[in-house]
Amino acid sequence: MSSTSDRAGLRGQLSAAGMLIGCIGCVIITASSVYTALKMGSLPWPTIFTSITALVLLRAVGRTSLGEANITQVIMSAGSMVAGGLAFTIPGIWMLGLTDEVDWIEMLAVALAGTLLGLVCTALIQRHFVEESDLEYPIGTAAAETLIASRAGGSTGRKLFGSMAISGLWCVARDVLGLMPSLVAQLPVPGVAFGIQNSPMRWAVGFLAGRRAIIYWALGAVLGWFGIVVGGTALGLWDAVGAQGIVSSLGMGLMMGSGAGVVIRDIALPLIRRARAGRARVDAKGAGGSPGFVSRLITRYDAGMLALMVASAALIVCFALGLGPLVAMAVVLLAFVCSVMSAQSVGQSGIDPMEIFGLIVLLFVAAFSEATEVQLFFVAGVIAVACGLAGDVMSDFKTGQIIGTSPRSMWMGQAIGAVLGTFVAVAVLVALVGAYGPDAFGPDALFVSAQANVVATMVSGIPSVGGFCAGLVAGTVLYCAGIPSMMLGLGVYLPFYMSLTTVLGAVVRWVYDRVCASRGLDAEASEETGVVVASGVLGGESIVGVIVAFATVAAGLAG
């Protein structure tokens, strides 16, 4: 990308109006995301909602550029990933009764270190994961379709906003009025959370995700929960609790192995082949001689800035968090590996298991260092924030690729929103624990904080070292053989009801495609309609979740 086109993209898409609207939206979205992550144990992607909001608000000030709307929504949504990384890890400190051992300065240091590493990693891997790979990025694709449909109006716009309204009303009935449960069709399967999640968003993710990824996701879920838990328990090999420990360890190992496979197959081997061919030297002006993982948005002048960001993150981890130089180096290196896994996961499924990556690095650091329990939470938080941003940025880059937004402008918008989000997320966490007390966080408390509870449990060690090692080896081998072991690992690790609901969404997509084909409808038009409707469904639940969460946070702070 030439400097001339970069400057043109910045002038045309990163506007003062867009930045102002984006920053205001970022404060609101980040605050609500903290609450949503703590209360619901999940973090719905705000991308669809922010895309529509950005376009509507920009129209109000006389601006209609899709690229400008894309950058504005990037700024709005970036802070939510920082919020998720903190909310999925830090509250575990309070659950263990260590509230007095952490203050807001340390939480801010965790958020800033993770943000810096996440931004650097995504700048480096953008080219491979967006421009050169065939990953679906269902959320990013849906956001692009939303922007296009919102501007196009007509029947496409009616489908989008109609499905959004239905999904939103459904969630109001579920979450606000309490007219329906969040989990249905539950069955008493020992050791297995069997049921169907009453979530339009979850169904839509399954609808939008690629079929191959869903197949392996389903295989992992059946293998883990019915093969190991139900089958192994029935044979008397272990009890239900022991089986659940094996499943969680195996799932983490498969996902970690997938990341190792990415490094081996997609980074190391191509570099070796190029070196043997005498083309190891990078030509910044041509794609042919460049390593596949080096983004085109990187210039020789950017390299110094990115190096400074990495050094700053390492210094924060080393001194502000008191983890020392060896741990700081490990965190920086593993943040890159985990960000690669995050980009892969989001690209295939729309899900970013950021807390899992934080757990993996936490356990690694615990094995070779003398870090305290609180410092291990800091490590998990840094990695989770970095991975959250990696998934979010890659999904946004996919949106930009579809509608023609400058990658450099998107990255700069992400940096603005992420840095602002670090301060907002920490402020909300401090306000919540101050208003409700540390006892409000836990499985049976006001804020269930499911992911943070898992981190708190895992601080004591991996439940099954054998299961983790088996998954690590299998994940690496399977990925190198061309099998999406990340999706297999997600199926093994996630609660069965989440996997089942996502798979059912894919079944709906299969039925929809067959019906359209049997009626002789144009395949491309049918696919566009399906994606637009699913995008509306995603947006409807996102809007309701954001509004309800923000209203509750505001009420809690006011009280």
Side-chain angles (χ1 to χ4, degrees):
M1 181 181 296
S2 69
S3 58
T4 301
S5 62
D6 287 343
R7 289 193 295 269
L10 291 174
R11 287 196 301 269
Q13 297 170 350
L14 193 62
S15 66
M19 285 191 288
L20 177 60
I21 293 171
C23 288
I24 294 172
C26 178
V27 172
I28 297 172
I29 297 297
T30 303
S32 62
S33 294
V34 173
Y35 177 84
T36 301
L38 294 173
K39 186 73 172 179
M40 299 179 62
S42 63
L43 186 58
W45 290 90
T47 306
I48 307 299
F49 165 67
T50 53
S51 296
I52 297 170
T53 303
L55 192 57
V56 169
L57 294 178
L58 286 171
R59 278 178 177 172
V61 295
R63 309 181 77 92
T64 59
S65 166
L66 288 186
E68 190 174 356
N70 187 198
I71 299 300
T72 303
Q73 75 85 13
V74 166
I75 298 173
M76 282 187 178
S77 64
S80 66
M81 297 300 105
V82 180
L86 292 178
F88 288 164
T89 55
I90 297 301
I93 298 174
W94 306 326
M95 297 178 196
L96 295 182
L98 304 173
T99 308
D100 295 336
E101 297 185 27
V102 59
D103 57 29
W104 70 268
I105 296 177
E106 290 170 318
M107 285 191 280
L108 184 60
V110 169
L112 284 173
T115 295
L116 292 171
L117 292 174
L119 290 171
V120 170
C121 291
T122 51
L124 295 175
I125 67 177
Q126 174 265 346
R127 174 180 170 186
H128 175 79
F129 280 99
V130 177
E131 298 180 25
E132 297 179 346
S133 77
D134 58 355
L135 293 172
E136 298 279 343
Y137 285 103
I139 304 299
T141 300
E145 295 289 344
T146 299
L147 285 171
I148 294 170
S150 298
R151 187 175 70 171
S155 62
T156 303
R158 287 193 295 271
K159 292 169 186 174
L160 172 71
F161 292 111
S163 60
M164 184 179 296
I166 293 172
S167 175
L169 291 173
W170 185 277
C171 295
V172 167
R174 183 194 65 197
D175 298 335
V176 179
L177 302 178
L179 299 179
M180 61 182 80
S182 58
L183 200 64
V184 299
Q186 294 178 267
L187 295 177
V189 181
V192 179
F194 190 98
I196 298 174
Q197 196 172 9
N198 183 15
S199 170
M201 177 178 288
R202 181 70 64 186
W203 286 75
V205 167
F207 187 96
L208 292 168
R211 294 178 186 173
R212 185 168 181 264
I214 290 293
I215 289 172
Y216 282 100
W217 191 338
L219 285 175
V222 173
L223 168 67
W225 295 103
F226 284 89
I228 296 177
V229 176
V230 175
T233 303
L235 293 174
L237 300 177
W238 39 64
D239 57 20
V241 175
Q244 290 171 342
I246 294 173
V247 165
S248 64
S249 302
L250 177 64
M252 288 189 293
L254 282 167
M255 287 183 284
M256 187 66 179
S258 177
V262 169
V263 173
I264 294 171
R265 194 186 78 174
D266 296 338
I267 302 177
L269 292 180
L271 288 175
I272 292 172
R273 285 194 293 266
R274 287 187 176 93
R276 288 178 176 176
R279 291 182 287 127
R281 187 175 181 179
V282 177
D283 181 2
K285 296 183 179 180
S290 301
F293 260 53
V294 178
S295 172
R296 286 189 180 90
L297 67 84
I298 302 298
T299 69
R300 66 182 65 183
Y301 303 106
D302 297 326
M305 179 191 68
L306 296 179
L308 181 61
M309 291 170 66
V310 172
S312 299
L315 290 173
I316 291 172
V317 174
C318 182
F319 296 106
L321 301 180
L323 284 161
L326 186 60
V327 173
M329 291 175 58
V331 169
V332 169
L333 293 175
L334 291 175
F336 178 81
V337 176
C338 291
S339 293
V340 167
M341 293 191 289
S342 175
Q344 185 84 13
S345 177
V346 173
Q348 291 180 314
S349 70
I351 290 181
D352 189 354
M354 60 185 82
E355 75 281 2
I356 297 175
F357 302 131
L359 274 173
I360 293 170
V361 178
L362 175 156
L363 295 171
F364 178 79
V365 169
F368 79 87
S369 75
E370 298 181 355
T372 65
E373 289 184 335
V374 172
Q375 288 175 326
L376 291 177
F377 281 102
F378 293 161
V379 170
V382 170
I383 298 297
V385 171
C387 290
L389 283 174
D392 182 57
V393 171
M394 290 301 105
S395 197
D396 289 336
F397 276 141
K398 184 64 176 180
T399 303
Q401 183 192 40
I402 293 172
I403 67 176
T405 310
S406 162
R408 181 177 294 276
S409 298
M410 285 188 289
W411 189 88
M412 292 186 68
Q414 194 82 29
I416 293 170
V419 172
L420 176 59
T422 61
F423 293 92
V424 176
V426 170
V428 172
L429 272 177
V430 171
L432 288 175
V433 73
Y436 298 106
D439 294 336
F441 300 85
D444 301 318
L446 176 63
F447 300 105
V448 295
S449 309
Q451 286 83 357
N453 184 56
V454 173
V455 176
T457 301
M458 292 291 288
V459 163
S460 59
I462 301 173
S464 172
V465 175
F468 178 81
C469 293
L472 183 65
V473 174
T476 304
V477 173
L478 289 173
Y479 184 86
C480 290
I483 295 174
S485 51
M486 174 68 72
M487 295 300 100
L488 195 68
L490 274 177
V492 172
Y493 182 84
L494 290 176
F496 186 77
Y497 69 86
M498 288 188 181
S499 297
L500 176 60
T501 309
T502 308
V503 170
L504 289 176
V507 171
V508 172
R509 174 63 178 269
W510 181 83
V511 172
Y512 171 78
D513 289 342
R514 293 298 179 275
V515 170
C516 291
S518 66
R519 294 184 177 181
L521 301 177
D522 180 76
E524 185 176 346
S526 299
E527 181 178 1
E528 179 182 345
T529 297
V531 170
V532 167
V533 171
S535 300
V537 170
L538 277 166
E541 183 161 355
S542 296
I543 290 171
V544 171
V546 166
I547 292 174
V548 172
F550 183 70
T552 306
V553 169
L557 295 178

